[in-house]
Amino acid sequence: MSSQTGTPTFVDRYPEEASVVRQAFLVSFVALGLGALFGIIQALHRTNVLRLIDSADYYTVLTAHGVLLVIVFTIFFLVGLYQWAITRSLDRPAENITFTRAWLGLMSLGSVLTGGTILLGFVDEIGISADVLFTFYAPLQAHPLFYTGLAVFLIGTWLAGVDWFRSYLAWRGDNPGERIPLQTFMVLTTMVMWYIATIGVAISVLFFLLPWSLGLIDTVNPLLTRTLFWFFGHPVVYFWLLPAYLLWYTVLPKIAGGRLFSDPLARVVFVLFVLLSTPVGIHHQYLDPGIAEGFKFIAMTNTMFLLLPSLLTAFTVVASMEHGARQRGGTGLFGWLKALPWRDPAFTGMALAGLMFAAGGFSGMINAGMNINYLVHNTLWVPGHFHLTVGTAVALTMMAGTYWLWPQLTNRPLYSRPIALAQVVIWFGGMGLMSNAMHVSGLFGIPRRTAEPQYEGFDFATSFGSVSELNLQLAIGGSLLFVSTVLFLGNLALSMGTPTRDGLGQTLPPALSGPTDSPAVLDNLRLWTVIALVLVVLAYALPLGSIVAESGLFGSGGNPYPVVIEPLVGWIDPGAVIEIFHDLLEVLP
Ligand code: HEM
Ligand SMILES: [Cu+2]
């Protein structure tokens, strides 16, 4: 225990909440380590530099890489960060810490079930596997434990949201009429978005994929489950991104030496994500037959609107950094850049992450264009894009944020700041190479998701490099990323052994333009939720209705009725049941 000489740290003030945050981070970082290991294996394998696995196991590796990194690493970090943010910004402990521990436990159980089922795929003798990639499209089928784990994990995240809303309501009771603190606002809006988004994946898993894998129903409608997946699959990218935004808006200005430029703009950005993040999912299905072009066009238009919050963020965050730099004595049109704390790994990590996010935004615009998407669809371009966004803007910000937050959760200083600084720079360089190679390879038509791209020796005389050169670039970049991950985890592990110290507490300064400069309607969460739901219905009712009307809830070609009622056939007339079903569907457009 440290005596309270300077600013008390988070762990001084809220020891139990701090332990929950640490546990969530721990799970997150274990997943990061494993995910990076699988990442380097597949990067070296598909570029034919080093083959440690059999190509037949490639999908086990790739599924583990995807699920561990974009479900476990990112989301456990999110819940840890949000628990910290809500406790800190409301300045009150969790309403019931046992409940808090329970949802973290559920999430962990779900992750172990899902992750374990994937990893069992390496042991053929057991006969359990889930090589379905993180998108788990039917007709690929996983063992029921994979879907069960997902469901348990999801329930855990829902309860986390309940916990945070409870804290907020309790605070509201004590502080009527006050503006919601910014970090709490960010947590709550993210969760509103999450509740809406997860409706899609919950229906897909609980009503179709899980019963199907258990043999309770014979078939599923792949287009329907895909569409439900992407109903969730686009907003989930903001579930990864918004914790990074929270750090950029509320922590980065402070470590840059200044204050957030505008609190109201930050609120507008989060509200825009609540409204716009779900009715765009069909932009992942531009090439799916069975969805009319018009619906795809609407999704594209909505997607382009989503550029707005990202541009607002770029403006606000850079303005805050400039303010910080000028506070530190920076001058000139660009000269202030030199005054930023580039030796601070937390700052440099977040700044480099933001820079890569801008590049990811550009390649994202290519993906989002209906026509130009055909050029890059399912090529290596796509992983090239999202290793810039979730793989760097999010992942590197989370690592950098950890450097800032960890001492306040443990009262132990970081083991080595120079190693941390090298780590974030190596990540940036490694990703520059890997992502560049992936983008260019994609333009050459090299597919993603394959152990055997078979372009070896094929020279493209008209372009800069050959495919072999791109492969080498990808392999070197991937190796640097792996080294960077090891440095991050090693530094953190060693930090657990540094002696405890006083004075590691940090405060966050208020924004230059505070919450009261914005209209109160911004805090009206009910209003935004209702509008978001209306937009979702507008975007999805017709496409989903037509998918079901055309090929049925369970697809065509299988048993016309669920396997569960098979024994009842003879007692009841399945034809009559189906009639009723059809009549019901008739009402849909
Ligand atoms: C050590 C660093 C990493 C390396 C070397 C690496 C490498 C790769 C490679 C080569 C692929 C493409 C495989 C293929 O399509 O055949 C891939 C896919 C992927 N990576 Fe990474 N990656 C790393 C870190 C990350 C991070 C930090 C994230 C997210 C937080 C991430 C998320 C993904 C996802 C979601 C896929 C797609 C999986 C799929 O197609 O189902 N990766 N990675
Ligand atoms: Cu998307």
Side-chain angles (χ1 to χ4, degrees), residues 141-229:
Q141 194 186 55
H143 189 275
L145 280 176
F146 173 87
Y147 305 110
T148 310
L150 283 181
V152 172
F153 176 85
L154 264 187
I155 295 169
T157 62
W158 289 342
L159 294 180
V162 169
D163 198 8
W164 300 329
F165 271 97
R166 257 176 94 189
S167 289
Y168 162 66
L169 290 175
W171 171 88
R172 177 53 85 207
D174 296 345
N175 300 273
E178 237 179 81
R179 295 303 291 262
I180 307 176
L182 182 58
Q183 285 189 329
T184 300
F185 184 83
M186 293 173 161
V187 170
L188 300 183
T189 42
T190 309
M191 292 317 287
V192 168
M193 183 197 79
W194 184 242
Y195 284 122
I196 297 175
T198 46
I199 297 172
V201 72
I203 293 178
S204 169
V205 166
L206 290 177
F207 293 118
F208 299 107
L209 298 175
L210 181 58
W212 174 57
S213 72
L214 287 168
L216 298 176
I217 54 175
D218 226 15
T219 54
V220 295
N221 180 344
L223 184 56
L224 179 61
T225 47
R226 265 168 87 94
T227 307
L228 289 171
F229 176 84

XYZ file of all heavy atoms in Angstrom, residues 141-229:
719
model
N -19.217 -25.408 -40.496
C -19.884 -25.673 -39.220
C -18.848 -25.962 -38.137
O -17.892 -26.685 -38.368
C -20.816 -26.869 -39.371
C -21.777 -27.009 -38.217
C -22.595 -28.295 -38.309
O -22.041 -29.381 -38.406
N -23.909 -28.156 -38.290
N -19.076 -25.382 -36.968
C -18.183 -25.626 -35.838
C -18.861 -26.560 -34.848
O -20.074 -26.777 -34.906
C -17.850 -24.309 -35.151
N -18.064 -27.076 -33.921
C -18.621 -27.863 -32.821
C -19.540 -26.954 -31.992
O -19.242 -25.761 -31.828
C -17.470 -28.392 -31.963
C -17.902 -29.380 -30.933
N -18.376 -29.001 -29.694
C -17.956 -30.731 -30.967
C -18.697 -30.091 -29.000
N -18.445 -31.156 -29.757
N -20.643 -27.517 -31.447
C -21.581 -26.678 -30.678
C -20.916 -25.866 -29.563
O -21.376 -24.763 -29.236
C -22.554 -27.694 -30.071
C -22.449 -28.915 -30.917
C -21.114 -28.903 -31.589
N -19.815 -26.380 -29.004
C -19.170 -25.636 -27.913
C -18.656 -24.273 -28.380
O -18.590 -23.328 -27.597
C -17.993 -26.441 -27.365
C -18.348 -27.566 -26.394
C -17.084 -28.334 -26.011
C -19.027 -26.990 -25.154
N -18.295 -24.175 -29.647
C -17.823 -22.903 -30.194
C -18.937 -21.853 -30.095
O -18.730 -20.750 -29.584
C -17.396 -23.113 -31.654
C -17.044 -21.852 -32.400
C -15.759 -21.328 -32.351
C -17.996 -21.194 -33.185
C -15.426 -20.187 -33.061
C -17.669 -20.055 -33.895
C -16.380 -19.540 -33.830
N -20.126 -22.234 -30.557
C -21.249 -21.271 -30.524
C -21.720 -21.026 -29.092
O -22.107 -19.909 -28.738
C -22.424 -21.787 -31.369
C -22.049 -22.125 -32.791
C -22.016 -23.453 -33.224
C -21.713 -21.124 -33.695
C -21.675 -23.774 -34.525
C -21.366 -21.434 -35.003
C -21.350 -22.761 -35.417
O -21.006 -23.077 -36.699
N -21.678 -22.102 -28.273
C -22.089 -21.930 -26.882
C -21.184 -20.912 -26.196
O -21.653 -20.011 -25.489
C -22.005 -23.277 -26.136
O -22.686 -24.262 -26.909
C -22.626 -23.185 -24.754
N -19.884 -21.056 -26.429
C -18.934 -20.116 -25.841
C -19.221 -18.692 -26.282
O -19.213 -17.761 -25.469
N -19.508 -18.524 -27.571
C -19.822 -17.186 -28.069
C -21.029 -16.603 -27.342
O -21.041 -15.434 -26.954
C -20.135 -17.234 -29.570
C -18.968 -17.348 -30.541
C -19.499 -17.356 -31.973
C -18.003 -16.177 -30.363
N -22.051 -17.458 -27.158
C -23.273 -16.980 -26.507
C -22.984 -16.566 -25.063
O -23.422 -15.502 -24.599
C -24.350 -18.063 -26.562
N -22.211 -17.392 -24.354
C -21.892 -17.073 -22.955
C -21.088 -15.770 -22.887
O -21.341 -14.902 -22.039
C -21.096 -18.245 -22.322
C -20.582 -17.868 -20.947
C -21.969 -19.494 -22.257
N -20.144 -15.628 -23.796
C -19.323 -14.418 -23.857
C -20.200 -13.185 -24.071
O -20.072 -12.167 -23.375
C -18.315 -14.566 -24.999
C -17.474 -13.352 -25.247
C -16.317 -13.138 -24.513
C -17.823 -12.428 -26.216
C -15.526 -12.021 -24.755
C -17.042 -11.309 -26.456
C -15.896 -11.105 -25.720
N -21.140 -13.325 -25.031
C -22.027 -12.197 -25.331
C -22.849 -11.798 -24.113
O -22.981 -10.604 -23.798
C -23.014 -12.602 -26.427
C -22.700 -12.237 -27.865
C -23.894 -12.572 -28.737
C -22.361 -10.752 -27.980
N -23.389 -12.804 -23.432
C -24.197 -12.507 -22.245
C -23.342 -11.755 -21.230
O -23.790 -10.794 -20.594
C -24.789 -13.801 -21.662
C -25.781 -14.398 -22.668
C -25.478 -13.546 -20.322
C -26.245 -15.799 -22.332
N -22.086 -12.173 -21.100
C -21.170 -11.467 -20.198
C -21.050 -9.990 -20.559
O -21.123 -9.114 -19.688
N -20.917 -9.702 -21.852
C -20.770 -8.292 -22.239
C -22.063 -7.521 -21.995
O -22.032 -6.353 -21.620
C -20.383 -8.135 -23.723
O -21.434 -8.676 -24.539
C -19.079 -8.840 -24.046
N -23.203 -8.199 -22.198
C -24.481 -7.509 -21.935
C -24.586 -7.132 -20.462
O -25.037 -6.040 -20.111
C -25.664 -8.413 -22.328
C -25.825 -8.586 -23.808
C -25.287 -7.799 -24.797
C -26.564 -9.621 -24.483
N -25.654 -8.283 -26.036
C -26.427 -9.387 -25.875
C -27.319 -10.716 -24.061
C -27.023 -10.214 -26.834
C -27.914 -11.525 -25.018
C -27.771 -11.283 -26.395
N -24.147 -8.072 -19.598
C -24.233 -7.785 -18.163
C -23.246 -6.685 -17.769
O -23.528 -5.886 -16.866
C -23.976 -9.053 -17.355
C -25.047 -10.132 -17.540
C -24.716 -11.365 -16.712
C -26.438 -9.608 -17.154
N -22.115 -6.629 -18.458
C -21.184 -5.527 -18.193
C -21.895 -4.197 -18.440
O -21.806 -3.265 -17.649
C -19.948 -5.659 -19.079
N -22.630 -4.146 -19.555
C -23.375 -2.927 -19.859
C -24.404 -2.623 -18.778
O -24.567 -1.475 -18.353
N -25.102 -3.668 -18.304
C -26.079 -3.478 -17.229
C -25.391 -2.861 -16.013
O -25.883 -1.907 -15.395
C -26.725 -4.839 -16.854
C -27.540 -4.719 -15.574
C -27.586 -5.363 -17.998
N -24.214 -3.397 -15.696
C -23.457 -2.915 -14.540
C -23.162 -1.417 -14.692
O -23.358 -0.622 -13.762
C -22.145 -3.711 -14.476
C -21.477 -3.630 -13.115
O -22.103 -3.090 -12.189
O -20.328 -4.096 -12.980
N -22.723 -1.025 -15.878
C -22.330 0.379 -16.071
C -23.550 1.297 -16.091
O -23.494 2.415 -15.582
C -21.490 0.507 -17.350
C -20.245 -0.328 -17.269
C -19.540 -0.643 -16.133
C -19.567 -0.991 -18.334
N -18.472 -1.439 -16.442
C -18.450 -1.672 -17.786
C -19.764 -1.068 -19.716
C -17.560 -2.422 -18.552
C -18.873 -1.800 -20.483
C -17.785 -2.472 -19.903
N -24.650 0.814 -16.667
C -25.867 1.631 -16.624
C -26.362 1.786 -15.180
O -26.855 2.849 -14.796
C -26.963 1.045 -17.517
C -26.887 1.575 -18.932
C -26.246 0.857 -19.932
C -27.426 2.812 -19.248
C -26.145 1.358 -21.228
C -27.338 3.326 -20.540
C -26.701 2.598 -21.529
N -26.199 0.719 -14.402
C -26.585 0.809 -12.987
C -25.763 1.876 -12.271
O -26.297 2.692 -11.516
C -26.316 -0.528 -12.305
C -27.540 -1.362 -12.074
C -27.112 -2.689 -11.493
N -27.150 -2.709 -10.035
C -26.648 -3.724 -9.323
N -26.055 -4.744 -9.922
N -26.736 -3.718 -8.016
N -24.465 1.854 -12.497
C -23.599 2.861 -11.871
C -24.050 4.258 -12.269
O -24.136 5.166 -11.451
C -22.149 2.700 -12.333
O -21.599 1.558 -11.771
N -24.348 4.391 -13.564
C -24.754 5.698 -14.060
C -26.051 6.147 -13.391
O -26.172 7.294 -12.939
C -24.911 5.663 -15.579
C -25.717 6.811 -16.118
C -25.233 8.114 -16.029
C -26.974 6.597 -16.681
C -25.982 9.180 -16.494
C -27.723 7.662 -17.149
C -27.229 8.949 -17.056
O -27.973 9.997 -17.501
N -27.042 5.234 -13.312
C -28.334 5.612 -12.731
C -28.185 5.982 -11.259
O -28.813 6.929 -10.774
C -29.345 4.483 -12.913
C -29.777 4.280 -14.379
C -30.683 3.063 -14.505
C -30.458 5.533 -14.927
N -27.321 5.247 -10.563
C -27.091 5.578 -9.147
C -26.468 6.965 -9.034
O -26.861 7.782 -8.188
C -26.180 4.530 -8.521
N -25.525 7.242 -9.922
C -24.887 8.567 -9.927
C -25.917 9.651 -10.256
O -25.959 10.720 -9.636
C -23.764 8.567 -10.964
C -23.164 9.925 -11.219
C -22.136 10.498 -10.538
C -23.564 10.860 -12.231
N -21.862 11.734 -11.066
C -22.725 11.990 -12.111
C -24.543 10.864 -13.231
C -22.824 13.097 -12.939
C -24.650 11.961 -14.056
C -23.794 13.069 -13.909
N -26.774 9.331 -11.229
C -27.800 10.293 -11.647
C -28.706 10.649 -10.479
O -29.077 11.814 -10.287
C -28.592 9.702 -12.823
C -29.727 10.538 -13.334
C -29.346 11.938 -13.680
N -28.809 12.119 -15.012
C -27.961 13.108 -15.346
N -27.535 13.970 -14.434
N -27.524 13.247 -16.571
N -29.037 9.635 -9.660
C -29.869 9.884 -8.479
C -29.229 10.917 -7.550
O -29.913 11.761 -6.979
N -27.913 10.854 -7.438
C -27.206 11.785 -6.546
C -26.900 13.119 -7.217
O -26.575 14.091 -6.545
C -25.866 11.172 -6.089
C -26.077 9.927 -5.252
O -27.221 9.720 -4.806
O -25.105 9.164 -5.070
N -26.936 13.136 -8.537
C -26.534 14.356 -9.266
C -27.557 14.751 -10.321
O -27.251 14.773 -11.517
C -25.187 14.132 -9.965
C -24.078 13.798 -9.002
O -23.429 14.674 -8.455
N -23.872 12.507 -8.787
N -28.787 15.031 -9.892
C -29.800 15.341 -10.902
C -29.401 16.605 -11.663
O -28.823 17.530 -11.093
C -31.077 15.557 -10.075
C -30.607 15.868 -8.703
C -29.286 15.173 -8.523
N -29.692 16.607 -12.961
C -29.478 17.830 -13.736
C -28.056 18.051 -14.191
O -27.788 18.949 -14.975
N -27.114 17.225 -13.719
C -25.737 17.444 -14.154
C -25.470 16.782 -15.490
O -26.110 15.791 -15.827
C -24.776 16.886 -13.104
C -23.823 17.953 -12.599
C -22.902 17.398 -11.541
O -21.913 16.758 -11.924
O -23.198 17.596 -10.343
N -24.522 17.326 -16.260
C -24.161 16.680 -17.527
C -23.427 15.376 -17.252
O -22.641 15.282 -16.299
C -23.269 17.608 -18.363
C -23.972 18.875 -18.825
C -25.217 18.589 -19.628
N -24.940 17.997 -20.929
C -24.895 18.698 -22.054
N -25.123 19.996 -22.063
N -24.640 18.109 -23.201
N -23.667 14.383 -18.106
C -22.980 13.106 -17.946
C -21.485 13.334 -18.155
O -21.094 13.949 -19.144
C -23.484 12.091 -18.994
C -25.009 11.982 -18.961
C -22.841 10.721 -18.768
C -25.583 11.062 -20.033
N -20.638 12.864 -17.228
C -19.195 13.018 -17.455
C -18.806 12.378 -18.794
O -19.384 11.359 -19.186
C -18.568 12.260 -16.286
C -19.633 12.187 -15.244
C -20.936 12.183 -15.963
N -17.834 12.984 -19.469
C -17.536 12.583 -20.853
C -17.204 11.095 -20.976
O -17.727 10.400 -21.856
C -16.392 13.435 -21.404
C -16.021 13.134 -22.863
C -17.213 13.324 -23.788
C -14.853 14.001 -23.319
N -16.333 10.593 -20.102
C -15.969 9.168 -20.251
C -17.180 8.265 -20.040
O -17.346 7.270 -20.741
C -14.842 8.803 -19.279
C -13.492 9.345 -19.732
C -12.353 8.818 -18.893
O -12.513 8.538 -17.704
N -11.172 8.711 -19.494
N -18.020 8.617 -19.090
C -19.230 7.820 -18.874
C -20.123 7.888 -20.107
O -20.679 6.878 -20.548
C -19.986 8.322 -17.635
O -19.122 8.187 -16.512
C -21.257 7.537 -17.397
N -20.240 9.070 -20.680
C -21.027 9.236 -21.899
C -20.518 8.295 -22.986
O -21.285 7.646 -23.696
C -20.933 10.689 -22.367
C -21.780 10.998 -23.563
C -23.126 11.288 -23.414
C -21.230 10.989 -24.833
C -23.918 11.560 -24.525
C -22.012 11.260 -25.947
C -23.359 11.546 -25.788
N -19.209 8.203 -23.097
C -18.607 7.343 -24.124
C -18.910 5.873 -23.847
O -19.232 5.108 -24.760
C -17.099 7.575 -24.174
C -16.736 8.967 -24.681
S -14.967 9.284 -24.533
C -14.795 10.646 -25.693
N -18.814 5.493 -22.589
C -19.101 4.096 -22.219
C -20.560 3.768 -22.550
O -20.862 2.750 -23.185
C -18.828 3.878 -20.717
C -19.340 2.515 -20.269
C -17.338 4.011 -20.417
N -21.473 4.647 -22.145
C -22.901 4.342 -22.318
C -23.292 4.318 -23.795
O -24.022 3.426 -24.234
C -23.761 5.355 -21.551
C -23.524 5.411 -20.037
C -24.481 6.401 -19.380
C -23.669 4.040 -19.381
N -22.796 5.279 -24.571
C -23.168 5.274 -25.989
C -22.588 4.035 -26.689
O -23.253 3.412 -27.515
C -22.688 6.552 -26.712
O -21.364 6.853 -26.266
C -23.590 7.721 -26.440
N -21.367 3.666 -26.317
C -20.803 2.450 -26.915
C -21.709 1.265 -26.613
O -21.953 0.413 -27.481
C -19.399 2.150 -26.346
O -18.583 3.303 -26.440
C -18.740 1.008 -27.097
N -22.191 1.184 -25.386
C -22.996 0.021 -25.013
C -24.369 0.042 -25.694
O -24.897 -1.015 -26.045
C -23.145 -0.082 -23.484
C -21.850 -0.420 -22.765
S -20.813 -1.702 -23.531
C -21.735 -3.198 -23.181
N -24.944 1.231 -25.885
C -26.205 1.296 -26.635
C -25.982 0.702 -28.021
O -26.741 -0.138 -28.512
C -26.709 2.753 -26.752
C -27.832 2.852 -27.778
C -27.171 3.266 -25.399
N -24.883 1.133 -28.654
C -24.559 0.597 -29.971
C -24.385 -0.919 -29.907
O -24.871 -1.659 -30.763
C -23.274 1.249 -30.474
C -22.880 0.815 -31.853
S -21.156 1.212 -32.185
C -20.316 -0.096 -31.323
N -23.715 -1.398 -28.881
C -23.435 -2.835 -28.740
C -24.729 -3.638 -28.574
O -24.893 -4.691 -29.179
C -22.504 -3.044 -27.552
C -22.046 -4.463 -27.324
C -22.289 -5.235 -26.224
C -21.217 -5.267 -28.188
N -21.669 -6.456 -26.358
C -21.008 -6.512 -27.560
C -20.640 -5.053 -29.443
C -20.252 -7.534 -28.120
C -19.887 -6.075 -30.012
C -19.703 -7.291 -29.350
N -25.657 -3.110 -27.772
C -26.925 -3.845 -27.586
C -27.656 -3.967 -28.922
O -28.180 -5.025 -29.256
C -27.820 -3.144 -26.558
C -27.366 -3.366 -25.127
C -27.052 -2.303 -24.295
C -27.252 -4.655 -24.607
C -26.618 -2.511 -22.996
C -26.820 -4.864 -23.309
C -26.508 -3.788 -22.502
O -26.076 -4.000 -21.218
N -27.682 -2.884 -29.678
C -28.381 -2.942 -30.968
C -27.655 -3.908 -31.898
O -28.254 -4.782 -32.523
C -28.462 -1.535 -31.603
C -29.293 -0.610 -30.710
C -29.062 -1.612 -33.000
C -29.338 0.833 -31.181
N -26.338 -3.790 -31.959
C -25.566 -4.581 -32.922
C -25.649 -6.072 -32.638
O -25.722 -6.883 -33.555
C -24.108 -4.135 -32.890
N -25.611 -6.431 -31.356
C -25.523 -7.857 -31.034
C -26.851 -8.582 -31.235
O -26.872 -9.813 -31.202
C -25.020 -8.071 -29.593
O -25.718 -7.188 -28.727
C -23.527 -7.804 -29.496
N -27.948 -7.838 -31.471
C -29.212 -8.523 -31.781
C -28.973 -9.476 -32.956
O -29.385 -10.635 -32.941
C -30.304 -7.505 -32.185
C -30.610 -6.560 -31.031
C -31.583 -8.223 -32.622
C -31.543 -5.400 -31.430
N -28.270 -9.000 -33.985
C -28.063 -9.786 -35.203
C -27.318 -11.084 -34.918
O -27.779 -12.174 -35.263
N -26.175 -10.974 -34.254
C -25.353 -12.169 -34.059
C -26.016 -13.108 -33.048
O -25.923 -14.335 -33.170
C -23.912 -11.793 -33.654
C -23.843 -11.275 -32.251
C -22.975 -12.972 -33.844
N -26.748 -12.539 -32.089
C -27.412 -13.395 -31.102
C -28.478 -14.245 -31.786
O -28.591 -15.457 -31.537
C -28.023 -12.546 -29.988
N -29.259 -13.630 -32.684
C -30.282 -14.399 -33.395
C -29.609 -15.471 -34.253
O -30.017 -16.636 -34.270
C -31.147 -13.467 -34.275
C -31.961 -12.532 -33.389
C -32.075 -14.279 -35.185
C -32.803 -11.535 -34.153
N -28.561 -15.078 -34.952
C -27.886 -16.023 -35.834
C -27.358 -17.226 -35.058
O -27.536 -18.376 -35.460
C -26.750 -15.296 -36.552
O -25.931 -16.204 -37.216
N -26.719 -16.955 -33.922
C -26.113 -18.055 -33.157
C -27.182 -18.871 -32.439
O -27.201 -20.105 -32.519
C -25.082 -17.494 -32.147
C -24.695 -18.548 -31.127
C -23.848 -16.999 -32.890
N -28.101 -18.206 -31.756
C -29.026 -18.941 -30.885
C -30.127 -19.656 -31.662
O -30.523 -20.761 -31.305
C -29.655 -17.997 -29.852
C -28.670 -17.516 -28.792
C -29.345 -16.524 -27.854
C -28.119 -18.703 -27.995
N -30.628 -19.029 -32.725
C -31.764 -19.637 -33.427
C -31.354 -20.484 -34.615
O -32.112 -21.310 -35.084
C -32.761 -18.568 -33.865
C -33.440 -17.907 -32.714
C -33.295 -16.548 -32.481
C -34.201 -18.660 -31.819
C -33.907 -15.943 -31.386
C -34.814 -18.067 -30.729
C -34.662 -16.707 -30.508
N -30.166 -20.247 -35.138
C -29.793 -21.004 -36.342
C -28.538 -21.845 -36.150
O -28.591 -23.065 -36.216
C -29.635 -20.043 -37.534
C -30.914 -19.324 -37.854
C -31.076 -17.970 -37.553
C -31.981 -20.008 -38.418
C -32.264 -17.314 -37.823
C -33.176 -19.354 -38.696
C -33.315 -18.006 -38.394
N -27.391 -21.204 -35.903
C -26.138 -21.955 -35.977
C -25.992 -22.979 -34.852
O -25.588 -24.120 -35.088
C -24.963 -20.977 -35.995
C -24.972 -20.044 -37.206
C -23.862 -19.010 -37.107
C -24.822 -20.842 -38.505
N -26.341 -22.572 -33.630
C -26.211 -23.523 -32.526
C -27.170 -24.704 -32.682
O -26.740 -25.867 -32.622
C -26.388 -22.802 -31.188
C -26.257 -23.661 -29.931
C -24.894 -24.345 -29.878
C -26.447 -22.831 -28.664
N -28.465 -24.459 -32.919
C -29.375 -25.602 -33.135
C -28.920 -26.477 -34.309
O -29.014 -27.706 -34.240
C -30.719 -24.935 -33.464
C -30.632 -23.557 -32.950
C -29.183 -23.169 -32.931
N -28.383 -25.850 -35.335
C -27.932 -26.596 -36.517
C -26.728 -27.478 -36.159
O -26.660 -28.651 -36.524
C -27.583 -25.580 -37.602
C -26.980 -26.081 -38.856
C -27.488 -27.000 -39.714
C -25.732 -25.643 -39.411
N -26.637 -27.165 -40.774
C -25.555 -26.346 -40.614
C -24.762 -24.721 -39.015
C -24.435 -26.159 -41.431
C -23.658 -24.523 -39.830
C -23.499 -25.240 -41.016
N -25.798 -26.922 -35.383
C -24.622 -27.723 -35.037
C -24.996 -28.842 -34.068
O -24.328 -29.866 -33.999
C -23.523 -26.842 -34.434
O -23.895 -26.432 -33.141
N -26.081 -28.636 -33.326
C -26.544 -29.692 -32.408
C -27.398 -30.723 -33.132
O -27.813 -31.719 -32.541
C -27.371 -29.068 -31.271
C -26.575 -28.290 -30.211
C -27.524 -27.492 -29.330
C -25.741 -29.241 -29.368
N -27.702 -30.453 -34.392
C -28.529 -31.386 -35.146
C -30.014 -31.205 -34.885
O -30.822 -32.050 -35.251
N -30.403 -30.110 -34.241
C -31.829 -29.886 -33.972
C -32.553 -29.402 -35.220
O -33.746 -29.622 -35.378
C -32.004 -28.842 -32.859
C -31.420 -29.233 -31.510
C -31.562 -28.099 -30.517
C -32.106 -30.483 -30.983
N -31.834 -28.705 -36.061
C -32.398 -28.363 -37.371
C -31.418 -28.854 -38.433
O -30.218 -28.984 -38.181
C -32.667 -26.847 -37.541
C -31.404 -26.037 -37.243
C -33.810 -26.400 -36.657
C -31.559 -24.556 -37.511
N -31.983 -29.126 -39.601
C -31.234 -29.791 -40.650
C -30.346 -28.845 -41.450
O -29.222 -29.168 -41.811
C -32.273 -30.385 -41.611
C -31.918 -31.795 -41.971
O -31.071 -32.364 -41.256
O -32.473 -32.304 -42.938
N -30.876 -27.683 -41.709
C -30.180 -26.734 -42.587
C -30.316 -25.328 -42.017
O -31.156 -25.082 -41.157
C -30.843 -26.694 -43.984
O -32.220 -26.427 -43.806
C -30.650 -27.997 -44.730
N -29.464 -24.452 -42.514
C -29.678 -23.029 -42.251
C -29.660 -22.328 -43.607
O -29.263 -22.913 -44.603
C -28.598 -22.421 -41.336
C -28.642 -23.035 -39.963
C -27.212 -22.580 -41.943
N -30.081 -21.079 -43.583
C -30.048 -20.280 -44.803
C -28.767 -19.442 -44.753
O -28.697 -18.463 -44.014
C -31.296 -19.390 -44.835
C -31.341 -18.514 -46.075
O -30.337 -18.343 -46.766
N -32.510 -17.965 -46.350
N -27.730 -19.838 -45.498
C -26.428 -19.167 -45.362
C -26.505 -17.663 -45.593
O -25.823 -16.902 -44.915
C -25.566 -19.828 -46.438
C -26.244 -21.098 -46.760
C -27.703 -20.884 -46.520
N -27.352 -17.238 -46.517
C -27.424 -15.809 -46.783
C -28.022 -15.074 -45.578
O -27.593 -13.974 -45.218
C -28.263 -15.546 -48.038
C -28.319 -14.084 -48.461
C -26.915 -13.517 -48.679
C -29.150 -13.925 -49.729
N -28.994 -15.730 -44.933
C -29.611 -15.107 -43.762
C -28.613 -14.999 -42.614
O -28.459 -13.933 -42.003
C -30.840 -15.918 -43.335
C -31.574 -15.410 -42.107
C -32.095 -13.997 -42.336
C -32.719 -16.336 -41.730
N -27.895 -16.082 -42.324
C -26.962 -16.020 -41.190
C -25.789 -15.082 -41.498
O -25.291 -14.403 -40.600
C -26.453 -17.426 -40.805
O -26.045 -18.127 -41.975
C -27.524 -18.219 -40.096
N -25.377 -15.031 -42.736
C -24.323 -14.072 -43.115
C -24.791 -12.643 -42.895
O -24.054 -11.790 -42.398
C -24.010 -14.201 -44.603
C -22.882 -15.083 -44.963
C -22.932 -15.295 -46.458
N -22.207 -14.253 -47.167
C -20.929 -14.370 -47.530
N -20.265 -15.458 -47.241
N -20.326 -13.403 -48.175
N -26.037 -12.386 -43.334
C -26.555 -11.027 -43.218
C -26.701 -10.645 -41.743
O -26.372 -9.524 -41.347
C -27.891 -10.906 -43.959
O -27.711 -11.371 -45.299
C -28.388 -9.474 -43.987
N -27.158 -11.613 -40.942
C -27.254 -11.334 -39.503
C -25.864 -11.125 -38.911
O -25.669 -10.295 -38.029
C -27.967 -12.483 -38.787
C -29.463 -12.582 -39.071
C -30.034 -13.881 -38.505
C -30.213 -11.389 -38.480
N -24.890 -11.887 -39.414
C -23.528 -11.691 -38.908
C -23.052 -10.269 -39.203
O -22.513 -9.586 -38.337
C -22.536 -12.703 -39.503
C -21.127 -12.440 -39.044
C -20.689 -12.939 -37.828
C -20.267 -11.627 -39.771
C -19.409 -12.653 -37.355
C -18.986 -11.333 -39.306
C -18.558 -11.855 -38.102
